Amino acid sequence: MKTSVSVISTTNAPGAIGPYSQGYAFGDLVITSGQIPVDPATGAIPEGIAAQADQSCKNVGAILEAAGVSFESVVKTTCFLADMGDFAAFNEVYAKYFTSKPARSCVAVKELPKGVLCEIEAIAVK
C-alpha cells in the first residue's frame, strides 16, 4: 500500500523563497523546511537573535499547525546559527517552544538567507 504524501502550505508562515515547499506530510511524519525569521504578514525581519529565534519558532509552529500537529509532536530539529556566540540566547527562546526537548542538531553556518541570524527545521510525528 502506498503512503499518501501531501504538501503543507499556510499563509501563517513565510512562503518559500526558492523551489521548495514549506513542508510535507508523509504517513505519520511531518517535515518542515527550514524557517527563517521573516514575519509572514509584513515580510519584516526582527532585530537581534532573541526576536529572530522567536519568529523562526512561530513560523515552524504555523507549519506544524497547518499539518495538524504541535510543538509537542516534534521529535527532531535542526537549527542553524550565523554565530555560535548566539547559542545561549537562542536556546533561551527555543526552550519556550520546544518544551518536549526533541532530539536536536545545532550548527553554525557561514551565512543564512537574507542575512538572518538563525533558521530552524523540524520533524514531527502525527
Side-chain angles (χ1 to χ4, degrees):
M1 173 176 17
K2 185 176 179 183
T3 302
S4 160
V5 177
S6 59
V7 174
I8 303 165
S9 181
T10 178
T11 58
N12 294 325
I17 57 174
Y20 59 89
S21 301
Q22 291 173 319
Y24 266 89
F26 176 79
D28 289 338
L29 288 180
V30 173
I31 302 169
T32 75
S33 292
Q35 294 301 300
I36 61 174
V38 174
D39 182 318
T42 66
I45 297 170
E47 301 252 347
I49 188 60
Q52 288 195 17
D54 188 65
Q55 186 63 57
S56 289
C57 287
K58 287 177 181 174
N59 293 343
V60 169
I63 296 169
L64 294 172
E65 182 180 336
V69 296
S70 67
F71 284 104
E72 289 74 32
S73 303
V74 175
V75 294
K76 171 74 167 86
T77 63
T78 305
C79 305
F80 306 93
L81 300 177
D83 181 350
M84 204 48 90
D86 288 336
F87 189 74
F90 175 83
N91 278 341
E92 191 173 320
V93 174
Y94 174 96
K96 293 175 186 176
Y97 289 90
F98 295 94
T99 57
S100 63
K101 299 182 180 178
R104 181 180 95 171
S105 300
C106 186
V107 298
V109 296
K110 183 177 178 183
E111 191 174 358
L112 290 164
K114 297 188 177 253
V116 301
L117 303 174
C118 64
E119 181 172 357
I120 304 168
E121 62 185 32
I123 299 173
V125 178
K126 289 183 178 181

